[in-house]
Amino acid sequence: MRDGKRIAESLQTVRKPTDGEGLEAKGNGSSGDITTEMVEDRHPTLHPLSCRFGVHGKQGVTSVCEYQGLLYSTGRDGCVRVFRVNPTPPEKPEEKSVENKDGLQLQVLRVQRACKGMEWLERILILEPDIPVEEAEEEESFRPEEERTENKGREARFAIIGFHGVHFVVWDPVRQERLFAVPCGGGHRSWSLWPPHKGVWPGYGALVFIKQGAVMTSQTPGDALSIGGKAGGWGLREGVHGRGIGCMCRLGMIRGIKNENQTESPGDLAETEGIDELKEGGHWEIVVTGGEDTSLTVIAIQPRSGSIKVLSVITDHISSIRTVTAVTRQEGGAESQKQSLSALLVSAGGRAQMQCYRLSIGWDQQRLAPSCQVIQVASHRLDEQWEKRRNRHKTVKMDPETRYMSVEVVEEKPDGVLLAMACSDGALRLFSVSEGTHQIDLLCETFFHQRCVLSVAACSLEEGEGHRYRLLFSAATDGRIAVWDLTDASFLSTGTQPIPCLHIHAHQSGINSLAVWTEKPGLNEGGCLVTVASGGDDGQLTVSTIRVHYPEDRMFGGSRGSSQISEALSPPTQLHLELHSQYHSPLAHAAPLTALKLLCPGLLVSTSADQRVCLWRVCSTGISHIGGAVLPCCRCCRTGSVGGAAERGGG
């Protein structure tokens, strides 16, 4: 298994031949020759139903195990891959054979990396459940059949065991910490971890290994170690990322429902802070953060008690994560005793890398805590063709490494989304993500800004007759905002370069964040008003209001300033945009603004590297700084603001 280069899973039963089967001896009585014949019809052969080649690179697969309907494999590429067996889609009938009548195939759900430098992985250990196995089985018997089937296919909490340098390590990928470490010299082929406990890690153990012909042990079995070397159970870390947090995205809220079949004593309830509130219907906020440590973390936060629980850590990125967005839909309800949500998550950052995942977040009735299932949908890199070129080390790469600075969902589709990407090489790119085909395709790119594009934002307009229009806003390091009309995206099929319908000068330098909302003007004015708020490196908050005229009711008055409207008239079938008003708050922050968020139309919250969070009221007369004793206008933070000052490149 160590030297294997593929995973082959067979679901058929092979009967071993008894003595005499498969071999038949015949003698002719004179020469004494013996003829051997194989009985083909009585000796079934073993055929793999589904194969995955090279899933762990050239070093091969080190282990494969099954737990609650999922397969887990490890290899010397430092990765754990999670599989499940699915029926072959109808569009691939060629994969079905006589042996594979049901058309079964292995599907890769996700890839989990160990810590940096830990590439020699041996296997995984399922972490000890929060409740005893007997109670879990008893509780499972009361659950409906469909819920039992769903729980069986959920990914379990596991630890990774292997060698990291000269240490044998048990690594927790969710908490991102060592549970057990022994300085054994590293890379032993003959070793054993005590106690195995049927593949479940109880939190203590001893390593037995052979070194220079001698059998050695890390400790005596009687000296039990607690998890992480600390007495009293788990210890909380000060941060969820090893380095700075670059982006954050809120997915939604799930509500905890009391488990009526589970009874606890008052002493047990007192051990967990906020458990009473949880059982009375407390809710958890689900947040995804991306950091400079190249990992995505799915976090559940309970506002009442302040509890924070890390649900999953995704480590597929090879560089820092700069931006993340999600399309979320709520599922279930309180009446059905179940709350869950499903999100299509897209993350991007350095090395022009983009990842897409499907997150299924639900409520675990047994552990009274949220749970998360991660399925990788697709991945994409602009430099993927360069990486596959032969002798690339002999040539000079003309383009620098591109970083994705911001991502925005322009349009939601039944099987995917249309994305806009702000890139450090001065390009604005549109991508199509298809969940059905597991593909991310580059549709078009434009270098209109000629500078590093820092942020993008989108809005949707709806005319009285039901016509919908899509606008895209992009901002770069020159302090200008470009407005694009993506309603008629004919340039995607013709290959022509799109042209912005309006550009606005808003800041002296780079614009790190945009917030957009719409409102309807008076009855006699027609069209609609689109307001875009921008925060820049100059510490200034700018609010620009754009008047949008629909193609049917273009009524241009007598006041059309040449510097406030687009230089050329739009075609009759497109929108016409003009700058209506613009307000500035030059000293909004004492440092660059890093993020803006629209709480409701007219109410903004801003963050900055000056460790402050501010609230702003935006109206037709200007920008006002909200104050008062009940709701203070500013809150000071000890940690750095989320989405720190943007990196510069390509401009």
Side-chain angles (χ1 to χ4, degrees):
M1 202 62 185
R2 295 179 182 272
D3 298 329
K5 292 186 179 181
R6 65 181 183 179
I7 298 177
E9 186 67 23
S10 176
L11 304 180
Q12 68 184 44
T13 303
V14 180
R15 180 175 58 88
K16 294 182 179 180
T18 59
D19 295 340
E21 290 185 359
L23 294 176
E24 183 178 4
K26 293 184 180 181
N28 57 12
S30 57
S31 61
D33 296 335
I34 298 178
T35 305
T36 304
E37 296 182 359
M38 299 296 295
V39 184
E40 297 291 343
D41 57 340
R42 301 181 64 185
H43 191 98
T45 56
L46 183 66
H47 296 278
L49 301 186
S50 179
C51 299
R52 289 281 180 174
F53 291 89
V55 293
H56 286 285
K58 297 180 180 180
Q59 298 296 329
V61 182
T62 55
S63 71
V64 178
C65 69
E66 184 273 341
Y67 185 78
Q68 294 184 352
L70 294 181
L71 300 174
Y72 302 83
S73 69
T74 60
R76 295 186 184 176
D77 58 347
C79 297
V80 177
R81 282 171 169 80
V82 185
F83 302 83
R84 71 179 173 192
V85 180
N86 278 346
T88 305
E91 61 270 13
K92 295 182 180 180
E94 66 276 1
E95 293 188 6
K96 297 184 179 181
S97 60
V98 178
E99 298 81 7
N100 193 1
K101 297 179 181 180
D102 298 330
L104 301 177
Q105 66 173 359
L106 285 171
Q107 178 189 3
V108 181
L109 295 184
R110 61 173 301 216
V111 180
Q112 177 66 62
R113 295 183 181 273
C115 61
K116 185 177 181 180
M118 185 177 175
E119 297 185 355
W120 187 327
L121 304 186
E122 288 290 351
R123 62 174 182 266
I124 68 167
L125 287 176
I126 304 300
L127 292 179
E128 192 172 32
D130 300 334
I131 59 177
V133 180
E134 294 78 7
E135 296 183 13
E137 294 177 352
E138 181 180 356
E139 174 65 25
E140 196 75 9
S141 61
F142 292 100
R143 303 173 69 86
E145 181 64 27
E146 57 272 11
E147 293 188 14
R148 282 185 284 176
T149 304
E150 179 182 355
N151 291 336
K152 186 178 180 181
R154 281 194 172 273
E155 181 180 321
R157 281 272 284 113
F158 61 85
I160 304 173
I161 62 176
F163 296 96
H164 187 191
V166 297
H167 288 78
F168 174 86
V169 175
V170 179
W171 175 261
D172 188 346
V174 173
R175 295 180 55 84
Q176 294 285 293
E177 65 181 10
R178 291 182 177 184
L179 304 182
F180 183 74
V182 177
C184 62
H188 297 285
R189 294 186 177 271
S190 300
W191 60 271
S192 180
L193 182 64
W194 180 94
H197 196 63
K198 296 183 179 179
V200 177
W201 175 249
Y204 58 89
L207 177 68
V208 181
F209 57 97
I210 299 178
K211 185 176 183 180
Q212 296 179 353
V215 179
M216 308 181 70
T217 180
S218 61
Q219 66 176 33
T220 59
D223 300 332
L225 289 178
S226 60
I227 298 178
K230 300 178 181 179
W234 297 93
L236 295 179
R237 300 196 314 157
E238 295 183 356
V240 295
H241 287 273
R243 300 175 64 183
I245 298 177
C247 55
M248 179 180 294
C249 177
R250 177 184 178 270
L251 301 185
M253 180 266 293
I254 64 172
R255 186 173 299 276
I257 305 301
K258 180 179 179 180
N259 189 348
E260 298 178 355
N261 297 324
Q262 187 171 352
T263 60
E264 301 88 352
S265 62
D268 295 335
L269 295 179
E271 292 179 359
T272 305
E273 182 181 0
I275 193 70
D276 293 328
E277 299 175 353
L278 183 62
K279 296 191 174 186
E280 293 175 359
H283 70 275
W284 293 75
E285 296 287 342
I286 309 301
V287 177
V288 177
T289 60
E292 296 179 0
D293 59 352
T294 74
S295 66
L296 282 168
T297 305
V298 185
I299 306 172
I301 305 172
Q302 191 184 31
R304 288 186 179 181
S305 63
S307 301
I308 299 177
K309 181 178 178 60
V310 177
L311 304 183
S312 182
V313 177
I314 308 172
T315 55
D316 290 338
H317 279 269
I318 59 178
S319 186
S320 62
I321 301 174
R322 184 64 178 81
T323 179
V324 62
T325 187
V327 176
T328 308
R329 64 173 183 265
Q330 198 78 27
E331 298 177 351
E335 297 180 357
S336 62
Q337 299 294 309
K338 177 181 178 182
Q339 274 283 346
S340 63
L341 59 88
S342 179
L344 186 67
L345 182 73
V346 178
S347 59
R351 303 287 293 274
Q353 184 184 19
M354 187 192 323
Q355 296 284 352
C356 181
Y357 308 93
R358 169 63 65 179
L359 303 183
S360 298
I361 301 169
W363 181 256
D364 194 328
Q365 285 284 82
Q366 297 177 356
R367 296 172 176 82
L368 295 179
S371 62
C372 178
Q373 174 70 55
V374 181
I375 299 178
Q376 187 178 26
V377 175
S379 62
H380 184 273
R381 283 192 63 193
L382 289 178
D383 297 335
E384 188 174 1
Q385 299 299 326
W386 169 269
E387 299 292 341
K388 294 181 179 180
R389 289 179 56 182
R390 294 184 178 180
N391 299 327
R392 62 179 182 274
H393 61 282
K394 298 181 179 179
T395 59
V396 178
K397 191 175 183 180
M398 301 303 298
D399 297 331
E401 288 288 352
T402 301
R403 296 184 300 276
Y404 291 132
M405 310 301 292
S406 178
V407 59
E408 181 72 14
V409 176
V410 178
E411 181 185 3
E412 299 182 23
K413 299 180 180 179
D415 64 337
V417 292
L418 178 65
L419 299 176
M421 284 285 187
C423 307
S424 64
D425 60 354
L428 177 66
R429 293 180 170 91
L430 294 181
F431 290 89
S432 174
V433 179
S434 176
E435 192 172 3
T437 60
H438 301 278
Q439 291 289 331
I440 299 178
D441 299 317
L442 175 62
L443 302 181
C444 75
E445 58 184 5
T446 175
F447 292 86
F448 169 79
H449 287 281
Q450 294 294 319
R451 289 173 175 84
C452 174
V453 185
L454 295 177
S455 55
V456 289
C459 72
S460 178
L461 308 178
E462 185 172 358
E463 197 180 358
E465 300 180 357
H467 298 159
R468 298 187 66 87
Y469 302 90
R470 297 192 302 272
L471 293 180
L472 178 65
F473 298 79
S474 61
T477 55
D478 58 355
R480 292 180 177 269
I481 303 174
V483 188
W484 311 77
D485 184 5
L486 300 184
T487 305
D488 183 18
S490 58
F491 56 87
L492 298 179
S493 57
T494 59
T496 59
Q497 288 290 327
I499 300 175
C501 50
L502 180 67
H503 55 86
I504 307 168
H505 184 77
H507 293 267
Q508 298 178 359
S509 53
I511 302 175
N512 297 322
S513 183
L514 297 173
V516 182
W517 67 93
T518 61
E519 57 180 312
K520 293 183 179 180
L523 298 177
N524 298 328
E525 297 183 12
C528 71
L529 296 177
V530 178
T531 304
V532 51
S534 56
D537 286 342
D538 53 3
Q540 175 177 285
L541 175 63
T542 302
V543 177
S544 307
T545 302
I546 302 172
R547 181 177 294 278
V548 180
H549 297 277
Y550 296 119
E552 289 78 6
D553 55 355
R554 285 191 180 175
M555 296 180 294
F556 307 121
S559 58
R560 292 176 51 193
S562 58
S563 62
Q564 296 182 348
I565 63 175
S566 54
E567 298 178 358
L569 295 179
S570 304
T573 58
Q574 293 184 0
L575 299 173
H576 177 78
L577 284 69
E578 60 179 346
L579 183 61
H580 179 69
S581 62
Q582 191 175 69
Y583 300 98
H584 306 275
S585 180
L587 300 177
H589 283 272
L593 274 76
T594 54
L596 285 176
K597 184 65 178 180
L598 180 68
L599 301 182
C600 62
L603 184 61
L604 284 173
V605 59
S606 64
T607 63
S608 171
D610 62 359
Q611 312 296 317
R612 293 192 303 160
V613 179
C614 297
L615 287 176
W616 306 88
R617 178 73 66 184
V618 180
C619 57
S620 58
T621 58
I623 311 170
S624 59
H625 195 232
I626 299 178
V630 178
L631 182 62
C633 61
C634 299
R635 293 288 187 184
C636 292
C637 306
R638 293 183 179 180
T639 58
S641 57
V642 174
E647 296 177 285
R648 298 294 179 260

